[in-house]
């Protein structure tokens, strides 16, 4: 068995002539490069070990503030009064309405017709991204606020304001809210779409408008709005189709068959739309289409 004995000096360099005896009986004068690297590594490890122990001891002496951990509790308990139950139900109903607000806004307002017609205008001209979608949606929102203002004013005056003042109950406020909204929906729902939804629901023929359930009225109103908006879109397409036909005929007569007609007709369609003051005509037509409730 071989034994290796190494003498290490921590605070002094190796002395010339210092002997290290190996197990095989040979003598090695001085310290080699490998021994120097090992000694330096041991010194560094010892230094960092002392520094780490001092840091841990100092950190242990510093008092750490106790931070309370938050806790959440969800449960059912006895209500102190019926008003507590009513407030909880009102909060639940409000959260439900907020989650369904986009669908309600699309189904029960003029937003659908306005947005579809504005989209038809952009497609008819031949522009892909002008005006951008954000501009079209914003314009549709503001036109919706304009056309729905009389209906929403009735809802605020007859339902929301008296309820917040405590003059009417929640049930009466709901009835006062539904009444003007149903009036708006019935004013712009076509008889064909209404008959279709009644027939699909397999219910008896309603005798008057009050007998029509709201669940039947809402999809019928949406179908009517889509039909009306597509009819307006076809009317908007007609002058631009005429321009495309004229440009195509001229190009064929000149023998320019390989030249795309859309590339030539696009500036003429934009010029026609600008000269005819197209945006004012489209917006005026949209607002006039809701004249029954304005």
């Amino acid at each position: 068995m071989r034994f290796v004995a190494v003498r290490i000096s921590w605070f002094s360099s190796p002395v010339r002539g210092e002997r290290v005896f190996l197990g095989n009986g040979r003598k090695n004068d001085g310290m080699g490069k490998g021994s120097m690297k090992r000694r330096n590594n041991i010194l560094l490890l010892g230094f960092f070990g002392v520094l780490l122990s001092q840091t841990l001891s100092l950190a242990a002496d510093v008092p750490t503030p106790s931070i309370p951990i938050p806790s959440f509790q969800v449960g059912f308990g006895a209500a102190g009064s019926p008003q507590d139950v009513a407030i909880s139900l009102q909060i639940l109903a409000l959260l439900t309405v907020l989650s369904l607000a986009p669908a309600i806004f699309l189904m029960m307002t003029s937003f659908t017709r306005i947005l579809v017609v504005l989209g038809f205008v952009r497609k008819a001209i031949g522009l892909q991204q002008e005006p951008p979608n954000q501009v079209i949606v914003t314009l549709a929102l503001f036109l919706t606020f304009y056309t729905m203002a009389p209906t929403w004013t009735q809802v605020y005056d007859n339902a929301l304001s008296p309820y917040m003042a405590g003059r009417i109950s929640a049930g009466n406020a709901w009835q006062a809210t539904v009444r003007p909204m149903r009036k708006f929906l019935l004013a712009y729902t076509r008889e064909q779409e209404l008959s279709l939804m009644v027939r699909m629901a397999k219910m008896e023929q309603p005798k008057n408008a009050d007998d029509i359930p709201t669940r039947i009225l809402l999809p019928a109103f949406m179908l009517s709005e889509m039909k009306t908006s597509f009819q307006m879109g076809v009317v908007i397409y007609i002058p631009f189709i005429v321009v495309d036909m004229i440009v195509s005929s001229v190009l064929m007569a000149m023998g320019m068959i390989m030249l795309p007609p859309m590339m030539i007709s696009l500036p003429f369609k934009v010029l026609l739309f600008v000269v005819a003051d197209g945006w004012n005509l489209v917006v005026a037509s949209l607002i006039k289409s809701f004249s029954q409730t304005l």
Side-chain angles (χ1 to χ4, degrees), residues 60-80:
D61 297 336
V62 177
T64 57
S66 59
I67 301 175
I69 301 176
S71 63
F72 299 93
Q73 297 180 358
V74 178
F76 297 92

Side-chain angles (χ1 to χ4, degrees), residues 4-27:
V4 180
V6 179
R7 180 180 179 182
I8 299 175
S9 179
W10 290 86
F11 300 100
S12 63
S13 59
V15 181
R16 183 179 297 273
E18 184 179 6
R19 296 180 179 180
V20 178
F21 293 92
L22 303 177
N24 55 7
R26 290 181 299 174
K27 299 179 181 179

Side-chain angles (χ1 to χ4, degrees), residues 153-188:
T153 301
Q154 295 180 14
V155 172
Y156 179 81
D157 294 338
N158 300 330
L160 184 60
S161 181
Y163 175 73
M164 295 180 64
R167 295 194 300 268
I168 60 175
S169 62
N172 294 333
W174 173 253
Q175 294 296 328
T177 301
V178 172
R179 194 176 301 112
M181 294 302 301
R182 284 177 57 88
K183 181 180 177 181
F184 174 83
L185 298 177
L186 288 169
Y188 301 106

Side-chain angles (χ1 to χ4, degrees), residues 76-92:
F76 297 92
S81 62
Q83 294 181 354
D84 296 339
V85 180
I87 293 174
S88 301
L89 294 178
Q90 290 174 6
I91 295 174
L92 180 61

Side-chain angles (χ1 to χ4, degrees), residues 204-243:
E204 297 180 358
Q205 191 71 21
K207 298 180 180 179
N208 50 35
D210 295 334
D211 295 338
I212 302 175
T214 305
R215 64 182 180 88
I216 301 297
L217 183 58
L218 285 177
F221 172 76
M222 285 289 295
L223 291 176
S224 299
E225 289 294 289
M226 294 294 293
K227 185 176 182 178
T228 303
S229 61
F230 271 69
Q231 289 177 352
M232 297 179 68
V234 170
V235 175
I236 292 172
Y237 254 100
I238 291 176
F240 299 107
I241 293 176
V242 173
V243 174

